[in-house]
């Protein structure tokens, strides 16, 4: 017991905020659930690990549930884990999601029909579970607690890991996780309304955007596609058949600017200035014409380096099952498939509750798209049934955090569901700002929320050890006793 006391005291005396991550690979089953389809075939899953702050055998594991992209990018955008590791004497692991990054179960053949069917939330979570068991065994740390982290889709996965594998996951921080929207609950057009609200914080900005789309539509009605092409500096001539794609390309830029509306320059979606929404609105309002202003706003995303002479709207924006954008490259193919199977993504913009042109994307349109492009039919209600959307209060030890400047906020959990399933709001926060590393420009709210998150997590860790070792809370330092944290479980 004395060694446990020394460990917790030492962990809180450490203040280093850097860590060296090592890239490793774990041999995973290609199919965890069908014993015949692929037999015992395996693939190599990539993960990043840092154990330099870990107190061997006693420190927790902070586990990031990788989402739809290369895991290195999520590690770079999730400094909270690295900063928290020395405070808790923790090991940190970032695991890559199957069918993303280098974790391709069938290499170049991963995206053909017979193989991509093994891309699912359940398979990815089983990957994570096997990896966690392997790491605990490899480090001779079978008893240590594991705290799951994730942002956006990764935040959903972190929460689902706590629900599905409570034997492995002690608690979860789900940042900016639109867990209602992605399981088919709530307003299907709410995302576009939220983006509009964020731009609406700048007086006159929403009307200027509407003016730009109206001006473009007027030229299209007059057949002046050369004027539109010149106005948006497209590399190829815009035609009547490509007008809606141009609208989607513009809309996508506003989406990304809203999500990455951080108080300092960031590179999450490419090089962007501090508060890019404010910068975009300022440029639009100062421009001579509405179309010129929209070009300057979209250029923030698509030409952040300033080296493009024209825009290839088909290379820079891919239409897919997710109207908010499927990214680019192979990741776009994977996310398109996930949006056609389990995950329910936003419907189209309406031009009624939002500032964008009406671009319909009903469940019927999505179904037709998915059957044509992915040869599958979406199962809209599966996630809600499988992961308790209507009864999340029955779970425990989950933090749902959201920023009030995040367009995904309204699709997430904004109020406490129970004393241990809590909601925290980051005032002045964009998409999972609390997961990012500390910055001098951070708003006071995110500093307090991060502190509160670590306090709650510390309480979970203390409760875990009390269950493992018995009623020994009195021998633990105050900062790691569950009693010291319990009164603060309520959301901010």
């Amino acid at each position: 017991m004395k060694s446990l006391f020394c460990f917790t005291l030492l962990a809180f005396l450490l203040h280093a905020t850097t860590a060296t991550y090592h890239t490793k690979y774990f041999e995973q089953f290609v199919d965890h659930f069908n014993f015949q389809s692929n037999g015992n075939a395996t693939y190599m899953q990539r993960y990043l690990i840092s154990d330099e702050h870990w107190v061997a055998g006693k420190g927790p594991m902070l586990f990031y549930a990788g989402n739809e992209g290369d895991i290195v990018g999520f590690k770079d955008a999730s400094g909270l884990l690295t900063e928290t590791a020395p405070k808790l004497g923790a090991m940190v692991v970032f695991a890559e999601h199957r069918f993303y990054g280098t974790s391709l179960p069938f290499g170049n053949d991963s995206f053909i029909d017979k193989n991509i069917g093994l891309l699912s939330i359940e398979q990815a979570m089983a990957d994570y579970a096997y990896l966690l068991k392997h790491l605990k065994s490899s480090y001779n740390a079978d008893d240590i607690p594991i705290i799951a982290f994730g942002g956006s889709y990764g935040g959903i996965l972190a929460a689902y890991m706590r629900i599905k594998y409570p034997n492995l996951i002690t608690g979860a921080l789900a940042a900016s996780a639109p867990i209602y929207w992605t399981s088919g609950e709530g307003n299907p057009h709410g995302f576009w309304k939220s983006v509009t609200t964020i731009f609406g914080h700048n007086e006159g900005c929403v009307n200027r955007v509407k003016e730009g789309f109206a001006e473009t539509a007027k030229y299209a009605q007059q057949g002046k596609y050369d004027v539109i092409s010149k106005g948006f500096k497209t590399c190829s001539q815009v035609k009547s058949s490509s007008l809606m794609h141009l609208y989607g390309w513009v809309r996508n830029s506003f989406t990304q600017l809203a999500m990455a509306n951080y108080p300092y320059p960031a590179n999450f979606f490419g090089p962007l200035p501090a508060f890019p929404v404010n910068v975009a609105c300022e440029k639009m309002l100062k421009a001579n014409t509405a179309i010129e202003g929209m070009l300057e706003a979209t250029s923030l995303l698509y030409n952040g380096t300033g080296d493009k002479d024209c825009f290839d709207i088909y290379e820079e924006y891919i239409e897919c099952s997710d109207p908010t954008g499927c990214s680019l490259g192979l990741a776009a193919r994977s996310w398109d498939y996930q949006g056609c199977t389990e995950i329910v993504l936003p419907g189209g913009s309406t031009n009624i509750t939002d500032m964008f042109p009406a671009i319909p994307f009903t469940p019927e349109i999505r179904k037709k798209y998915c059957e044509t492009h992915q040869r599958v039919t979406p199962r809209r209600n599966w996630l809600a049934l499988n992961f308790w959307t209507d009864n999340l209060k029955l779970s425990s030890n989950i933090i749902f955090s959201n920023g009030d400047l995040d367009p995904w906020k309204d699709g997430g959990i904004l109020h406490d569901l129970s004393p241990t399933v809590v909601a925290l709001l980051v005032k002045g926060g964009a998409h999972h700002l609390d997961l990012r590393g500390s910055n001098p420009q951070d708003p006071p709210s995110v500093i307090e929320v991060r502190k509160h998150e670590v306090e709650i997590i510390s309480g979970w860790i203390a409760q875990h050890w009390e269950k493992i070792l018995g009623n020994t809370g009195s021998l633990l330092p105050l900062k790691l006793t569950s009693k010291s944290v319990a009164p603060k479980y309520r959301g901010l």
Side-chain angles (χ1 to χ4, degrees):
M1 207 56 56
K2 181 178 179 182
S3 63
L4 183 59
F5 177 89
C6 293
F7 144 62
T8 50
L9 182 60
L10 174 64
F12 274 99
L13 290 176
L14 294 173
H15 297 288
T17 58
T18 61
T20 300
Y21 285 88
H22 301 281
T23 300
K24 296 189 177 183
Y25 294 86
F26 177 62
E27 189 174 10
Q28 288 281 9
F29 286 115
V30 165
D31 188 345
H32 293 284
F33 306 115
N34 188 321
F35 290 85
Q36 291 183 334
S37 64
N38 287 280
N40 289 323
T42 60
Y43 81 98
M44 302 308 292
Q45 178 190 22
R46 181 171 60 161
Y47 66 97
L48 311 176
I49 186 167
S50 175
D51 60 4
E52 65 185 82
H53 297 301
W54 186 53
V55 178
K58 300 180 178 65
M61 182 189 301
L62 308 183
F63 172 75
Y64 186 95
N67 31 325
E68 71 281 23
D70 189 296
I71 193 59
V72 175
F74 294 117
K75 187 269 291 182
D76 292 343
S78 305
L80 176 64
L81 282 77
T82 301
E83 293 180 1
T84 302
K87 299 175 184 177
L88 301 179
M91 173 193 309
V92 184
V93 177
F94 285 83
E96 190 163 70
H97 196 298
R98 59 168 52 204
F99 287 86
Y100 292 97
T102 66
S103 299
L104 304 178
F106 301 94
N108 293 334
D109 291 332
S110 294
F111 302 96
I112 63 178
D113 286 354
K114 70 174 184 177
N115 293 335
I116 200 170
L118 291 170
L119 169 55
S120 71
I121 288 176
E122 292 79 6
Q123 294 279 6
M125 290 172 58
D127 284 345
Y128 296 156
Y130 266 100
L131 173 62
L132 293 174
K133 286 289 289 183
H134 162 73
L135 290 173
K136 291 180 79 170
S137 176
S138 297
Y139 279 85
N140 193 27
D142 289 337
D143 289 336
I144 67 169
I146 301 174
I147 308 299
F149 291 74
S152 197
Y153 170 48
I156 294 172
L157 291 175
Y160 285 174
M161 286 294 291
R162 169 61 184 168
I163 292 170
K164 182 70 173 177
Y165 297 102
N167 57 316
L168 288 173
I169 304 299
T170 300
L173 169 55
S176 296
I179 204 163
Y180 287 139
W181 280 349
T182 54
S183 58
E185 303 290 332
N187 180 2
H189 310 292
F191 179 83
W192 308 113
K193 180 180 179 181
S194 295
V195 174
T196 301
T197 298
I198 292 167
F199 276 84
H201 294 155
N202 292 266
E203 185 176 357
C205 192
V206 168
N207 287 337
R208 188 62 162 171
V209 173
K210 290 181 177 180
E211 183 183 345
F213 281 119
E215 195 173 293
T216 305
K218 180 189 71 175
Y219 286 129
Q221 291 170 356
Q222 296 171 351
K224 296 181 179 180
Y225 289 102
D226 56 332
V227 176
I228 297 173
S229 302
K230 183 178 179 180
F232 285 102
K233 292 187 178 181
T234 59
C235 296
S236 58
Q237 175 82 9
V238 176
K239 304 175 183 178
S240 59
S241 59
S242 60
L243 181 64
M244 294 302 283
H245 188 88
L246 174 71
Y247 285 162
W249 175 79
V250 174
R251 185 181 67 176
N252 182 63
S253 69
F254 287 107
T255 296
Q256 307 299 318
L257 294 177
M259 289 173 62
N261 195 29
Y262 301 124
Y264 46 79
N267 199 41
F268 192 57
F269 296 120
L272 289 173
F275 291 117
V277 168
N278 296 353
V279 175
C281 288
E282 182 180 358
K283 287 180 177 293
M284 285 189 288
L285 293 170
K286 287 184 176 180
N288 293 324
T289 68
I291 288 181
E292 178 186 324
M294 291 182 73
L295 172 64
E296 292 198 36
T298 56
S299 295
L300 288 175
L301 177 72
Y302 296 123
N303 194 22
T305 57
D307 57 358
K308 291 184 179 180
D309 296 322
C310 66
F311 295 100
D312 188 333
I313 63 175
Y314 285 97
E315 285 291 327
E316 295 161 352
Y317 170 68
I318 298 174
E319 292 183 19
C320 64
S321 61
D322 182 358
T324 73
C326 268
S327 186
L328 302 172
L330 295 179
R333 298 170 68 178
S334 299
W335 190 242
D336 187 43
Y337 181 80
Q338 290 196 264
C340 278
T341 50
E342 301 174 297
I343 300 174
V344 181
L345 294 160
S349 49
T350 66
N351 198 233
I352 298 172
T353 59
D354 57 66
M355 63 187 181
F356 303 107
I359 307 178
F361 202 67
T362 63
E364 293 73 23
I365 295 175
R366 186 190 305 275
K367 178 175 179 291
K368 183 177 180 180
Y369 170 89
C370 292
E371 290 175 345
T372 300
H373 291 83
Q374 295 288 356
R375 290 158 294 283
V376 295
T377 300
R379 296 183 183 178
R380 185 176 180 86
N381 301 316
W382 173 239
L383 287 187
L385 173 64
N386 198 26
F387 293 107
W388 313 4
T389 298
D390 294 332
N391 288 288
L392 287 169
K393 64 183 179 182
L394 298 180
S395 185
S396 63
N397 290 7
I398 304 176
I399 303 167
F400 289 99
S401 62
N402 286 281
D404 64 354
L405 297 182
D406 183 6
W408 289 104
K409 169 180 66 71
D410 291 336
I413 292 173
L414 305 180
H415 304 285
D416 294 358
L417 301 182
S418 76
T420 61
V421 179
V422 301
L424 302 180
L425 181 66
V426 180
K427 296 178 181 178
H431 203 46
H432 48 70
L433 176 63
D434 53 321
L435 276 188
R436 297 180 66 84
S438 299
N439 188 286
Q441 301 304 314
D442 279 335
S445 176
V446 76
I447 297 172
E448 288 301 312
V449 165
R450 288 178 186 139
K451 178 181 177 183
H452 193 36
E453 289 168 346
V454 173
E455 287 177 341
I456 294 174
I457 289 168
S458 298
W460 295 340
I461 294 170
Q463 291 170 349
H464 171 87
W465 284 116
E466 287 172 7
K467 291 178 181 178
I468 295 293
L469 302 175
N471 187 20
T472 58
S474 61
L475 298 179
L476 297 172
L478 179 63
K479 288 186 179 180
L480 276 185
T481 60
S482 57
K483 292 180 180 179
S484 70
V485 177
K488 296 183 179 181
Y489 267 133
R490 306 307 297 174
L492 293 179

